[in-house]
Amino acid sequence: ETGVTQTPRHLVMGMTNKKSLKCEQHLGHNAMYWYKQSAKKPLELMFVYSLEERVENNSVPSRFSPECPNSSHLFLHLHTLQPEDSALYLCASSQDGAGRAYFGAGTRLSVL
Amino acid sequence: EDQVTQSPEALRLQEGESSSLNCSYTVSGLRGLFWYRQDPGKGPEFLFTLYSAGEEKEKERLKATLTKKESFLHITAPKPEDSATYLCAVQALQTGANNLFFGTGTRLTVIP
């Protein structure tokens, strides 16, 4: 399998649920990212991991919690979300922070 | 503050009707400017990187150009399969290699 794989593709959760998004990259890259994509808004960078260490956290609410157990896997743990958190969550990877990033297909999240 | 503005928001073209998409940027030192294509239900797919004013890149019917304030994505004789959202992103020298600032995109529809 190649590229960046995200699971699940679709997720519906209540405001009190806890869920996790998973991302796996098969490109041998050393940096991984979580982005949020909402309608009519630019992609928002949420978290960056470089060499498995978090290097960016752009004022993201604590109800989003990232985890990077190794250079190939990235998780986004979700708890007590709000309806405005409904969006497409994209995972990406790159080598050495290069602007040429490889994106997964995303997880479409709906918070009820 | 680093900023990326894309225009128009949406564009409808007849097959074969050439046009250009605009990406205006304000950044404190440009590390690179990137064009991506995003199809519905998929993550963005890398198209081009431009590093300095005057640089041009081509791929099939697409040609990207760069000045000190903006970039253009020229589409020559488009086909229906070119229909997608085109995203522009910049990487600034001061904010580090891991930060990509995206525009809101131009949604292109090519009518047969």
Side-chain angles (χ1 to χ4, degrees), chain B:
Chain B
E1 182 180 311
D2 299 333
Q3 201 166 10
V4 179
T5 304
Q6 291 189 247
S7 62
E9 184 175 324
L11 181 63
R12 289 172 64 90
L13 299 173
Q14 290 292 134
E15 184 172 1
E17 179 187 1
S18 301
S19 188
S20 297
L21 313 182
N22 178 263
C23 171
S24 298
Y25 64 91
T26 304
V27 65
S28 51
L30 182 69
R31 180 187 293 267
L33 184 141
F34 307 86
W35 282 99
Y36 286 82
R37 168 189 171 133
Q38 186 173 20
D39 293 297
K42 295 187 177 181
E45 179 184 350
F46 171 82
L47 292 173
F48 302 109
T49 306
L50 300 165
Y51 293 106
S52 57
E55 191 173 358
E56 299 182 352
K57 294 277 180 71
E58 279 189 75
K59 179 181 179 181
E60 296 180 357
R61 295 176 292 282
L62 300 178
K63 179 180 176 180
T65 61
L66 181 65
T67 72
K68 289 187 177 180
K69 294 183 178 180
E70 57 192 351
S71 177
F72 291 94
L73 185 64
H74 306 279
I75 303 177
T76 302
K79 298 182 177 182
E81 53 262 41
D82 294 321
S83 297
T85 296
Y86 290 86
L87 300 171
C88 172
V90 298
Q91 216 176 30
L93 288 170
Q94 288 190 350
T95 51
N98 283 310
N99 265 313
L100 267 180
F101 292 94
F102 280 87
T104 52
T106 294
R107 188 174 66 255
L108 174 66
T109 304
V110 181
I111 305 162

Side-chain angles (χ1 to χ4, degrees), chain A residues 7 29 38-39 44-45 47 50 57 75 79-80 85 91 96 110:
Chain A
T7 55
H29 290 161
S38 305
E44 300 173 49
L45 180 62
F47 300 103
S50 178
N57 178 359
F75 294 90
H79 65 95
T80 324
D85 297 322
C91 174
D96 298 327
S110 297

